[in-house]
Amino acid sequence: MLTGGALLHGVVGVSGAKNAALPILCASLLTPDPLALTNVPDLRDVATARRLLEKMGVTAEADPARHALTLQARTLTGHTASYDLVKTMRASILVLGPLVARFGEAVVSLPGGCAIGVRPVDQHIKALEAMGAAISIAHGYIHATASRLKGARILFDMVTVTGTENVMMAATLADGVTVLENAAREPEVTDLAHCLNAMGAKITGAGTAEIRIEGVASLHGAAHRIMPDRIETGTFLAAVAAAGGDVLVRDADPATLVAVIDKLVEAGATIDVAADSLRIRRQGPLRSVNVRTAPYPGFPTDMQAQLLAVNAIAQGTAVVTETIFENRMMHVQELQRLGANIELEGNVAIVKGVLRLTGAAVMATDLRASACLVIAGLVAEGETVIDRIYHLDRGYERIESKLSALGASIRRAA
Ligand code: UD1
């Protein structure tokens, strides 16, 4: 529940990155030794990943005060990721590569329909087959077996983040060299590669479109600190750009946010970048900015909804184009309930900025759509009530306390 109108002031800290934590938790399957992780965000998706691993026999020891989690996959009691967990979190597919690589067997539920699009996993399957895995699909499950995966040259048909991560993890234990072409360049892929290299993997080129992995016989334990969440960071920046004020966002990695920073500066915000923090101010008028999502280093699809909220109250008309997912504009209807003037043509939103939004009851439809509604609620006149905030809890740690510490009127109702 939010009451709009307050300027945001103060300091806010960024948590560890959800999209780095999820593959890195799954990387624990690659070694019998402990993997000691810090800066692990306290999120529903991370809890789901942990449950998924524990169900297979991975032991987990958490120190929540330190955001630390140590995982150990000494032996496994099962190799199955069941539908009940996979359907709540598509990233569960990330156990596929590690399981086949180390244990020669994996049974992973197909993710099934997802609110933001079809999101198939054909690239993950195609790549593992090229590495010698035998894969069949029956009763909604992917069954994969392999005695030992073999290195291969793999050209992805499109840029896929979890596809790149899954195959990169599998290739660490393969026999020979694997080269991934048209690989995802997202910073979370690089963070995973750092963790795997600390475990003894031989990966070069992560962060570029060509990643080379020289397979090794086994990996060992390691300690790794999860990178800062660039989407949470960007969400705070967008919130301040929309609501106005002066905020220092710390524990961040500004280098991973260039496309987002550029757009918010174009929209009228002043942003000072330091090594691991950003100061954002917005006092003057907000201007419309066109946005077109693209794989990294382009503008992230995970920030598209938040920029739509910013544009909703900016001067002028913006064209916001989603190119990664085919159905990621469901927040438009909800923004319209708050008084936004948005025309939707397929995956293109034409946003005519209005002077003010007005509070209303709205419904979160997916994770980033819920962040967009929070931003809209921060600036809408009167009260906004967001339903289905479990979406928010999948990817934002204590967002209501972080924003209320900045002066926002926001609280969790029951
Ligand atoms: C990851 C992120 C998600 C982000 C997305 C795009 C995680 C846990 N999630 O999702 O937050 O929004 O990247 O930056 O890191 N595709 C196929 N076949 C495949 C794989 C993908 O057709 O085998 C398509 C998808 O349908 C989609 C596009 O490729 O249209 C990109 O998807 P992908 O990068 O795989 O997204 P995720 O890794 O699931």
Side-chain angles (χ1 to χ4, degrees):
M1 187 180 288
L2 297 103
T3 307
L7 299 178
L8 302 180
H9 282 280
V11 181
V12 66
V14 172
S15 299
K18 169 179 88 71
N19 286 354
L22 297 179
I24 288 171
L25 259 67
C26 295
S28 68
L29 288 168
L30 290 163
T31 173
D33 300 341
L35 180 61
L37 305 173
T38 47
N39 206 29
V40 179
D42 182 13
L43 301 171
R44 249 172 62 116
D45 272 9
V46 171
T48 303
R50 179 178 160 179
R51 246 196 353 269
L52 183 70
L53 295 169
E54 283 179 325
K55 268 186 146 183
M56 297 177 194
V58 176
T59 58
E61 219 174 284
D63 179 354
R66 288 181 48 241
H67 283 87
L69 177 67
T70 299
L71 298 166
Q72 187 167 11
R74 200 193 305 265
T75 53
L76 284 199
T77 51
H79 310 93
T80 303
S82 59
Y83 181 59
D84 58 325
L85 284 181
V86 178
K87 75 176 181 211
T88 67
M89 187 183 67
R90 208 183 156 278
S92 311
I93 190 74
L94 286 163
V95 298
L96 180 64
L99 283 177
V100 186
R102 175 151 166 242
F103 301 97
E105 189 184 354
V107 182
V108 179
S109 170
L110 282 168
C114 167
I116 64 172
V118 178
R119 302 178 92 181
V121 289
D122 58 304
Q123 299 299 307
H124 304 233
I125 292 173
K126 191 183 87 169
L128 291 174
E129 279 177 339
M131 296 173 75
I135 300 189
S136 62
I137 294 174
H139 310 296
Y141 279 81
I142 306 167
H143 292 246
T145 51
S147 48
R148 185 172 181 201
L149 294 172
K150 287 179 210 46
R153 178 168 283 271
I154 287 153
L155 172 62
F156 289 108
D157 292 348
M158 79 281 294
V159 175
T160 160
V161 178
T162 49
T164 302
E165 293 165 344
N166 225 344
V167 184
M168 185 166 81
M169 286 192 279
T172 58
L173 291 180
D175 181 18
V177 172
T178 299
V179 177
L180 307 181
E181 290 179 63
N182 197 24
R185 290 181 281 167
E186 268 65 5
E188 293 76 13
V189 173
T190 311
D191 202 37
L192 171 64
H194 286 151
C195 177
L196 293 169
N197 282 342
M199 294 165 71
K202 293 187 172 165
I203 304 173
T204 53
T208 75
E210 184 171 306
I211 302 178
R212 186 179 185 280
I213 307 118
E214 197 182 319
V216 295
S218 63
L219 296 181
H220 52 71
H224 180 77
R225 182 176 169 82
I226 309 277
M227 65 175 283
D229 197 308
R230 65 191 167 100
I231 306 300
E232 187 196 14
T233 309
T235 302
F236 289 134
L237 296 178
V240 180
D246 185 346
V247 168
L248 181 73
V249 185
R250 57 172 183 77
D251 307 326
D253 183 356
T256 61
L257 277 148
V258 174
V260 173
I261 293 169
D262 282 357
K263 282 295 162 188
L264 293 175
V265 168
E266 197 185 324
T270 305
I271 302 181
D272 302 320
V273 174
D276 62 358
S277 66
L278 306 107
R279 179 177 174 200
I280 175 163
R281 283 162 288 168
R282 210 271 296 163
Q283 272 113 16
L286 202 52
R287 294 182 293 270
S288 292
V289 283
N290 295 337
V291 172
R292 187 182 178 83
T293 63
Y296 192 84
F299 190 90
T301 173
D302 287 349
M303 281 299 299
Q304 175 258 104
Q306 298 88 318
L307 261 283
L308 214 56
V310 171
N311 273 314
I313 51 153
Q315 288 176 3
T317 300
V319 180
V320 177
T321 310
E322 173 59 47
T323 73
I324 309 287
F325 293 112
E326 70 266 32
N327 187 23
R328 205 176 204 184
M329 286 288 181
M330 285 167 300
H331 39 285
V332 166
Q333 275 190 12
E334 303 301 308
L335 284 176
Q336 285 166 337
R337 289 183 52 75
L338 298 172
N341 181 350
I342 306 175
E343 233 176 88
L344 195 57
E345 288 171 18
N347 279 328
V348 181
I350 296 152
V351 193
K352 293 200 176 89
V354 294
L355 280 178
R356 67 183 61 83
L357 298 176
T358 49
V362 289
M363 188 146 14
T365 49
D366 69 52
L367 169 53
R368 305 307 168 185
S370 53
C372 144
L373 295 176
V374 168
I375 294 174
L378 288 176
V379 298
E381 240 174 45
E383 201 173 84
T384 297
V385 179
I386 308 177
D387 195 11
R388 301 200 180 164
I389 54 164
Y390 54 83
H391 287 296
L392 206 55
D393 294 330
R394 287 189 51 197
Y396 291 93
E397 186 175 310
R398 296 183 298 104
I399 192 169
E400 72 281 8
S401 41
K402 288 189 184 185
L403 285 174
S404 61
L406 296 178
S409 167
I410 176 172
R411 67 182 176 85
R412 188 176 286 262

